[in-house]
Amino acid sequence: MDDWRYSQKHLLGIEGMHALDINLLLDEAEVYAEHNRQTQKRKAILKGLTQINMFFENSTRTLMSFDLAGKRLGADTISLPVSSSSIKKGETLLDTALTLNAMRPDVIVIRHGSSGAVKLIADNVDCAVINAGDGRHEHPTQALLDALTIRHRKGKIEGLIVAICGDILHSRVARSNIHLLLTLGAIVRLVGPPTLLPPHFADLGASIHHDMESGLKDADIVMMLRLQQERMDGAFLPSTREYFRTFGLTDDKLAHAKPDAVIMHPGPMNRGVEIDTHIADDLKRSGIAEQVEMGVAVRMACLDVLTRDLRAEAADG
Ligand code: NCD
């Protein structure tokens, strides 16, 4: 449907999102991916608009690529230096957001450690809000960039077997990917130890595997996740060495997947914990660098699409 218009004001999560909205963002991102390979990358479509990035959790890829995406589209981008902000003086998240809202930004991009924090802000500010990861809840632009990488490598998403492996319980990346991949018709398998993959994940429509052999069998895509120790309160695993032995991606485990399976990881990677270092560096099989590249394109598409109505109104005077 070529004339489909994006149906939401914000991008808070993939759950419940229309397949046409997802495909619209992916198609737009495809064009930006091509554009980003040119030497001259600067466009002016967001000229005069202000983008504020508020990252309350650490980030390399997501923060840099949102900033770069805004700049490549010509927006004025600014990032709140959280560690030296008034949050440290006891200001609440909502008061901080309302303060920034009074500066009249056109887009706010937020990462926060609490699930639901981004929605709270979106409900209380005037501009479009993009979720750059909230707690264990969702990380929608990560799922979109993963989908774009899969489309590039495999030409489609529908019908592919995607194994998402590791610390599913604490992963917003897993949750957003499960929703997106199922919406676009992939077969999703979740693989991990019972402590990090409780049975209720089956309710989302994916199958559950507690061993890599059955989880990876004939998989087209093997998506590895980081052990998110910062979200673990208590002992979820005997040791990381034991974890690597049973769930770390090694050649012998990867042999169960299709010979042309693509290996993915959202980063940051813990080499020797969830993935063998030479597999991570295998340029033919690994899609990890491409995921980062697609991240900029996807974020450009999101910024473009979410400000479209606003820009159209401004053009109409
Ligand atoms: C992920 C995140 O922050 O949720 N990283 C990312 O955005 N690339 C995954 C992780 O931290 O393990």
Side-chain angles (χ1 to χ4, degrees):
M1 246 206 259
D2 284 345
D3 54 354
W4 179 259
R5 283 166 63 95
Y6 186 73
S7 63
Q8 302 175 55
K9 178 176 178 191
H10 306 293
L11 178 58
L12 301 181
I14 304 287
E15 184 175 7
M17 209 166 151
H18 203 294
L20 290 171
D21 277 341
I22 296 173
N23 280 324
L24 172 86
L25 290 172
L26 292 177
D27 291 343
E28 297 281 345
E30 193 83 66
V31 180
Y32 282 118
E34 199 58 46
H35 168 83
N36 284 339
R37 290 186 175 178
Q38 296 169 17
T39 309
Q40 185 49 256
K41 299 177 186 67
R42 183 102 180 191
K43 286 170 100 68
I45 66 164
L46 261 61
K47 194 163 182 276
L49 300 194
T50 306
Q51 172 189 334
I52 295 183
N53 304 316
M54 298 168 70
F55 277 59
F56 295 88
E57 276 190 343
N58 295 348
S59 176
T60 300
R61 282 149 275 265
T62 311
L63 175 57
M64 295 306 286
S65 63
F66 264 116
D67 196 40
L68 198 53
K71 287 188 165 73
R72 284 195 182 162
L73 293 175
D76 296 313
T77 71
I78 184 163
S79 298
L80 174 72
V82 170
S83 61
S84 55
S85 71
S86 288
I87 301 265
K88 297 288 166 197
K89 297 182 184 169
E91 187 168 65
T92 65
L93 172 65
L94 194 53
D95 282 338
T96 303
L98 293 175
T99 301
L100 296 176
N101 185 52
M103 297 178 191
R104 299 191 153 271
D106 301 290
V107 185
I108 298 181
V109 180
I110 311 168
R111 166 170 287 193
H112 197 277
S114 302
S115 308
V118 179
K119 165 97 169 65
L120 174 76
I121 293 178
D123 289 344
N124 285 282
V125 298
D126 301 308
C127 65
V129 171
I130 301 180
N131 182 0
D134 64 328
R136 315 168 173 194
H137 177 226
E138 283 238 29
H139 191 353
T141 56
Q142 179 70 43
L144 288 162
L145 74 87
D146 288 340
L148 193 62
T149 306
I150 296 172
R151 246 173 50 164
H152 270 192
R153 288 291 181 109
K154 296 287 176 196
K156 61 171 188 176
I157 290 176
E158 193 173 359
L160 293 182
I161 300 176
V162 183
I164 306 178
C165 312
D167 183 0
I168 311 285
L169 178 65
H170 300 103
S171 178
R172 53 196 176 208
V173 174
R175 225 168 296 259
S176 291
N177 261 301
I178 294 166
H179 291 302
L180 188 149
L181 292 165
L182 290 174
T183 304
L184 296 192
I187 297 150
V188 180
R189 294 190 194 149
L190 304 176
V191 191
T195 46
L196 298 176
L197 175 53
H200 67 79
F201 273 89
D203 301 346
L204 300 178
S207 61
I208 304 278
H209 300 257
H210 295 306
D211 68 284
M212 291 288 271
E213 184 174 343
S214 75
L216 263 55
K217 190 171 177 344
D218 296 329
D220 297 285
I221 306 290
V222 179
M223 196 182 283
M224 302 307 297
L225 299 173
R226 183 175 65 89
L227 278 185
Q228 291 163 77
Q229 313 266 15
E230 74 275 22
R231 296 194 211 289
M232 295 183 194
D233 45 2
F236 281 79
L237 299 164
S239 71
T240 49
R241 199 202 278 163
E242 168 70 15
Y243 179 77
F244 182 67
R245 209 175 53 76
T246 40
F247 290 99
L249 190 61
T250 49
D251 281 323
D252 55 322
K253 297 189 194 92
L254 188 56
H256 299 292
K258 293 219 176 90
D260 61 348
V262 178
I263 298 144
M264 298 175 65
H265 194 306
M269 270 188 287
N270 284 316
R271 292 167 183 261
V273 177
E274 69 265 1
I275 189 163
D276 196 281
T277 196
H278 90 267
I279 294 183
D281 293 332
D282 183 334
L283 292 180
K284 244 180 93 209
R285 290 188 296 178
S286 164
I288 297 170
E290 194 171 349
Q291 286 174 271
V292 178
E293 182 185 356
M294 292 309 120
V296 182
V298 155
R299 285 154 186 148
M300 287 170 85
C302 293
L303 292 168
D304 174 348
V305 169
L306 286 175
T307 57
R308 226 163 242 184
D309 288 348
L310 181 72
R311 289 184 282 121
E313 276 167 35
D316 286 350

